[in-house]
Amino acid sequence: MSESAIITPPLSDDDIMKLKIGDRVLITGKILTGRDSAHKRLFDLIKEGKSLPVDVKGQIIYYVGPAPAKPGYVIGSAGPTTSYRMDPYAPLLMEHGLKGMIGKGVRSQPVRDAMKQFKAVYLAATGGAGALIAKNIKSARIVAYEDLGPEAIRELEVENFPVIVANDAYGGDLYQEGIKQYRR
Amino acid sequence: MRRDISHEKIKDTVARLCIDANYFLGNDMIQAFKSYIENEESDTGRDILKQLLRNAEIAEKEQVPLCQDCGFAVVFLEIGTGVCFEGNIIEAINDGVRKGYTEGYLRKSILSDPVKGKNTNDNTPAIIHTTFVPGDKIKITVAPKGGGSENMSEVKMMKPADGIEGVKDFVVDRVLRSSSNPCPPTVVGVGIGGTFEYVAFLAKKALLRNIGERNTDPFYADIERELLQRINNLGIGPMGLGGRTTSLDVFIETHPRHIASFPVAVNINCHVARHKTAII
Ligand code: SF4
């Protein structure tokens, strides 16, 4: 895949199989947000056999809890949060069609296995670059769990949101490869 | 020699420091990003460092927080013994944190109780460290601390026989195990000596130094350089995706110790290394 290709959800299995670790990708279109509490609620609903308040099929979830928006802004600073806290919930969401996750930091083996099994990718955004990333977010609206405040599920419209493929559906892991390549 | 300092003065100063620390990255960090970009071998790594420079520019220009995690408000006070307050200085500081985090559109991340708590919605209470010094002024430093990097920190009660080599290995290993989680490139604070609780404070205090500011004892200054090199040989790189730039600096603070104890602490800070100081 060429550098900085653009992807737009919903994503198909074919879209996913084109992505390899190290690819720089720009996301344009609609993505969902969710972190700890929202994940727990979605997970519990699936376990209880109930329907979800948002359709995750083909979608990308961004692990983020934004800062409050200043007047005239659609969102406050909005960089990724650490992903491992979502590891217990992620495989079940992938089983239900989730195709992408954006966050920061390494994922557990079960999450990596699920990406291979259900054809999904993990995309690393730059942690701490919250002011920069907010510039790529054109609109934000709460679609579920308003009571969770910064942790509510939002639908974001993004344009050229920069991410790097950190785990692909082939079992590749950029965290392991990267450190191997540069270790002295 | 006595000088009155008002509740309002302390409150307004703390509020401004909370906002400034979250909007404006220190020039030392900006210069460090620039010089590390030169030496970074990974394309991805260089890209990320450039994003961090751009992020700091946007935050400063638009007056928005550098990172959405606007941190726990850690406040260091050096109070001149000649200073008189009206009222309660702790309350004045918390009033300042409340004002700064609300008016600055900073994210509030503090739970009122670690187990049963709800968000206090104003980022109070602050963590306050106080020392007394001669004079009639107060030096206030606000160092908002993000959760991602704080979570990768550790205190270890080492054996005196472990010696300085044991300390070095522990610090490097702590950074290795943290991998991508503390948002590398990081700044590493190390405390050596004192007691269990004091060594953690030393490591935190070390993070108030500016990049390139060495320990005044040449023995520890050399160890800081050596540790930085060893850490940057790990290959973790920006955001843990591989590269030369894992940490921008290592700072060691020390204290006398008990003959039987050898406490060591590592407090990791992310590249959003926030600390702003005012003297009133
Ligand atoms: S570790 Fe630092 S840069 Fe990363 S999300 Fe937390 S506060 Fe922001």
Side-chain angles (χ1 to χ4, degrees), chain A residues 150, chain B residues 107-113 117-124:
Chain B
R107 200 185 76 186
K108 293 92 185 163
S109 316
I110 305 304
L111 301 176
S112 60
D113 177 283
K118 284 209 168 46
N119 200 306
T120 61
N121 285 324
D122 58 11
N123 222 56
T124 65

Side-chain angles (χ1 to χ4, degrees), chain A residues 24 65 69-71 73 77 79-80 82 104-106 126-132 135 164 175 178-179 182-184, chain B residues 41-44 47 51 54-55 58 62-63 65-66 68 105 107 180-181 183 233-235 239-244 271:
Chain A
R24 276 175 263 177
K70 276 173 81 163
Y73 283 70
S77 293
T82 311
K104 67 171 179 93
V106 292
T126 301
L132 175 73
K135 295 294 250 183
I164 298 156
Y175 294 103
I179 197 167
Y182 292 99
R183 187 158 198 166
R184 268 182 191 154
Chain B
E41 292 160 21
S42 147
D43 289 344
T44 309
D47 245 36
Q51 285 186 18
R54 187 87 191 93
N55 187 59
I58 293 171
E62 307 208 357
Q63 311 238 327
L66 291 148
Q68 73 288 338
Y105 296 91
R107 200 185 76 186
S180 55
N181 292 315
C183 288
N233 283 344
L234 291 173
M239 285 302 128
L241 298 171
R244 287 270 76 84
H271 59 78

Side-chain angles (χ1 to χ4, degrees), chain A residues 24 182, chain B residues 33 36-53 238 242-243 245:
Chain A
R24 276 175 263 177
Y182 292 99
Chain B
F33 291 157
Y36 276 88
I37 286 173
E38 302 286 307
N39 299 318
E40 181 52 74
E41 292 160 21
S42 147
D43 289 344
T44 309
R46 266 200 312 276
D47 245 36
I48 291 169
L49 292 171
K50 284 181 194 158
Q51 285 186 18
L52 299 185
L53 269 176
T245 317

Side-chain angles (χ1 to χ4, degrees), chain A residues 79-82 104 126-130, chain B residues 22 52 66-71 107 144-150 180-186 239 268-274:
Chain A
T81 193
T82 311
K104 67 171 179 93
T126 301
Chain B
N22 271 292
L52 299 185
L66 291 148
C67 180
Q68 73 288 338
D69 182 350
C70 299
R107 200 185 76 186
K145 188 65 173 70
S149 49
E150 193 72 355
S180 55
N181 292 315
C183 288
T186 54
M239 285 302 128
I268 297 187
N269 207 357
C270 47
H271 59 78
V272 185
R274 294 165 280 209

